[in-house]
Amino acid sequence: MKTIGFIGLGLIGGSIARATRKIHPDYKLIAYNRSRSVIADAIAQNIIDDVCEENDPRFLECDYIFLCAPVEVNLKYMDWLKDSIPANCILTDVGSVKGPIHQKVAECQLQSNFIGGHPMAGSEKSGFTFSSDRLIENAYYILTPGEQVPINLIADFTDFIASLGAIPMVLTAEEHDFITAGVSHLPHIIASSLVNLVKTLDNEEEYMKTIAAGGFRDITRIASSSPDMWQQICLENTENISNVLDDFIRLLIQVRYTIDSRDADALYQLFASSRDYRDSIDVVDNGLLKRAYILYLDIADETGSIATIATTLAMNQISIKNIGIIHNREFEQGVLKIEFYDDASMNQSALILTKRNYKVYER
C-alpha cells in the first residue's frame, strides 16, 4: 500500500486521484486544496481519505507527492519540502512546462526526489468538477526525472503511471518543452489568434460567426481553454514558443506566396502532405501508441440513431472503444466516428453495418 499526497485537486490532480482510487483502492490518498468545497466534494465521493492543511507534516509520510496547484504555489511548496522530504519520496508535478520547475528543483537540491510529469490530456473545462478517472487513459504521460533520482524509484513511479492507464514516456526537460511548444502550445496560440481574426473581420451582423462551419469550430475548439493557464504557459516557455512561431510564420509567408503566384502543384503538395501526415497519426503504429481501428459512417440526424448502431454491434459481441459525432462534414467522410480495439472487430463491424445499408468509410 502506498500513501499519495495531492497539493491541488483541479482537473488534472482530481483526475489522477480518481484514477488512483479506482485502480488502487487500497492506497491512502491525502490532499490539500485552497477551496474547501472541493475538498468536501472529494471526501464525499470517497476520492481522498484525509484532508490536509497547507504545510501538513503528513505529506512527509507520502511515497508520492503530486504538485497540482498553480506554478507559484508548487514552487513555494518546494521551499517547504526541501529540508524535510524523505529520501525515498517522489515529488512530481503536472505542469505543461518543465524548465522553470527543474530550475527550482536544482536550487532546492531536490534532484534526487523530483520526477517532472505532464499528462498529455486535458479539457476546455477546468476544476475538480470536470475531473475524470479516465482523463489520462491511453494518453502519453511525459516524465522528466531529476539527474540524481535512483533508477529503482524512476521505475517504480513509471510503473505506477502505467497502472493508471497512461503511457509513460521519459524525456529531458529541454526535450519536453521544445516538443510541447510545437504540438501543444503553438496550436493553442493559433486557435486563439484565428478566433480573434474572425472576430475582427466580422461585420455588425456577425455573419462569419453565424455560419462558422465544422472546420472552423474543430480547429478553434481549444481556444475555449483557460486564459490564465495559457498566459502562464507562454510566460514560462517563451523561448521555445518563439522559435516554433518563427518557423510557422515563415511557413505562412511561403503559403501566401504560393497562393499569390497561383502555384497549383505547390498548393496540392501543401494539402496532400499535411493530409497524409495527419492521417498517419490516427492509423499507423506510432511509438507506444498502436494503430487506431476506426470507421466513419453517415447516419440520419434523428433520435436513437447512435443507440441503434451501438446495440447492433453489441448484439454481435463487438466492443466499441470510442464513439462520437464528427461535426466537420467539410473534411471527414462521415459524421459518426467509431473506434474499435482491433482490426477484426473493425472489419466485422464494417460488414454488419454495410449489410444494414449504412454507408461505411474506412481509413
Side-chain angles (χ1 to χ4, degrees):
M1 188 179 84
K2 294 185 183 295
T3 299
I4 302 178
F6 292 88
I7 296 170
L9 281 176
L11 175 70
I12 301 298
S15 295
I16 295 172
R18 288 181 187 276
T20 303
R21 174 60 76 213
K22 178 181 177 180
I23 304 299
H24 303 287
D26 57 328
Y27 284 15
K28 182 177 181 180
L29 308 186
I30 64 176
Y32 165 76
N33 195 84
R34 184 172 57 182
S35 170
R36 303 309 257 179
S37 63
V38 167
I39 287 292
D41 287 346
I43 285 287
Q45 297 175 45
N46 193 35
I47 304 303
I48 63 172
D49 300 296
D50 287 331
V51 179
C52 293
E53 299 302 321
E54 186 171 4
N55 293 330
D56 201 304
R58 284 176 290 178
F59 281 122
L60 302 177
E61 301 171 3
C62 290
D63 296 280
Y64 309 140
I65 301 174
F66 281 85
L67 300 175
C68 306
V71 175
E72 63 274 11
V73 177
N74 291 342
L75 298 182
K76 185 176 72 172
Y77 261 93
M78 289 194 173
D79 288 324
W80 175 66
L81 290 166
K82 64 182 181 181
D83 296 323
S84 50
I85 188 170
N88 62 345
C89 175
I90 289 298
L91 182 65
T92 188
D93 76 321
V94 294
S96 297
V97 182
K98 302 268 73 83
I101 199 160
H102 272 274
Q103 291 176 8
K104 185 66 174 182
V105 166
E107 292 173 10
C108 295
Q109 298 184 345
L110 289 168
Q111 296 98 321
S112 61
N113 295 95
F114 186 75
I115 299 178
H118 180 202
M120 300 295 290
S123 166
E124 305 87 67
K125 306 298 183 181
S126 60
F128 181 76
T129 301
F130 298 100
S131 61
S132 165
D133 60 18
R134 300 186 65 181
L135 185 72
I136 65 172
E137 186 177 79
N138 295 322
Y140 275 115
Y141 197 117
I142 310 301
L143 300 177
T144 58
E147 297 175 358
Q148 300 172 20
V149 181
I151 292 297
N152 65 304
L153 292 184
I154 296 176
D156 181 73
F157 187 67
T158 301
D159 288 344
F160 169 71
I161 294 300
S163 75
L164 302 182
I167 304 169
M169 174 185 286
V170 178
L171 299 173
T172 66
E174 293 77 15
E175 288 173 326
H176 169 276
D177 287 354
F178 176 72
I179 291 169
T180 54
V183 301
S184 177
H185 306 165
L186 180 63
H188 277 81
I189 294 170
I190 293 171
S192 297
S193 299
L194 182 56
V195 170
N196 287 329
L197 173 65
V198 170
K199 178 182 177 182
T200 301
L201 296 177
D202 212 354
N203 57 20
E204 292 183 359
E205 288 77 18
E206 294 190 326
Y207 289 147
M208 282 188 172
K209 180 179 180 181
T210 301
I211 67 174
F216 179 82
R217 295 189 181 191
D218 284 351
I219 200 173
T220 60
R221 175 184 57 82
I222 53 178
S224 297
S225 300
S226 166
D228 293 327
M229 179 180 73
W230 285 100
Q231 174 199 54
Q232 195 66 42
I233 287 172
C234 288
L235 293 175
E236 292 170 358
N237 201 22
T238 303
E239 183 177 355
N240 284 307
I241 293 175
S242 181
N243 288 338
V244 296
L245 266 173
D246 282 342
D247 290 336
F248 184 66
I249 290 168
R250 282 192 287 270
L251 181 60
L252 284 179
I253 292 171
Q254 180 62 44
V255 170
R256 185 181 67 179
Y257 173 79
T258 301
I259 293 173
D260 289 345
S261 61
R262 303 179 65 83
D263 188 336
D265 291 340
L267 285 171
Y268 179 86
Q269 184 58 33
L270 166 70
F271 295 115
S273 64
S274 64
R275 176 202 61 194
D276 293 345
Y277 188 75
R278 174 60 183 85
D279 287 351
S280 74
I281 295 173
D282 282 341
V283 301
V284 176
D285 284 357
N286 185 14
L288 294 175
L289 286 180
K290 300 303 180 183
R291 175 183 173 183
Y293 302 99
I294 298 171
L295 294 179
Y296 295 89
L297 63 152
D298 289 315
I299 58 172
D301 186 9
E302 58 187 26
T303 303
S305 295
I306 297 178
T308 299
I309 292 170
T311 301
T312 299
L313 297 180
M315 290 175 63
N316 286 274
Q317 307 300 312
I318 297 174
S319 296
I320 295 174
K321 183 176 183 180
N322 200 1
I323 188 169
I325 293 291
I326 298 294
H327 297 286
N328 183 0
R329 281 184 179 267
E330 297 170 69
F331 302 114
E332 294 288 355
Q333 287 185 301
V335 293
L336 185 68
K337 176 181 178 180
I338 310 176
E339 184 175 357
F340 302 92
Y341 287 95
D342 52 54
D343 190 55
S345 297
M346 181 185 71
N347 292 331
Q348 184 183 357
S349 298
L351 290 173
I352 292 169
L353 294 173
T354 300
K355 288 180 180 179
R356 289 178 172 265
N357 296 320
Y358 288 100
K359 190 173 184 180
V360 179
Y361 307 92
E362 299 182 37
R363 291 177 60 181

